[in-house]
Amino acid sequence: MITATAVHTHPFTTLMARHGLTAAAYLKRVADRHRALGFGTMAHRKESAPSA
């Protein structure tokens, strides 16, 4: 019997690995682009996010 183990990674994990980014660096890039497109600022650090 032949078995195979499928390894699934989240698309963001693949994207960040491809560009050599940490999660924090990726979120900073997203926030910078968001602001550059004219949508205003957005939280990109855990300390910046409002608590629930």
Side-chain angles (χ1 to χ4, degrees):
M1 175 179 207
I2 298 174
T3 60
T5 303
V7 177
H8 298 283
T9 59
H10 194 279
F12 285 142
T13 303
T14 304
L15 181 69
M16 290 186 304
R18 183 179 300 154
H19 293 282
L21 296 170
T22 62
Y26 177 77
L27 291 175
K28 174 78 167 90
R29 287 183 66 173
V30 170
D32 290 345
R33 185 68 177 146
H34 188 265
R35 187 176 58 253
L37 289 171
F39 296 115
T41 58
M42 61 183 280
H44 64 276
R45 293 186 352 203
K46 185 168 56 173
E47 299 86 23
S48 301
S51 50

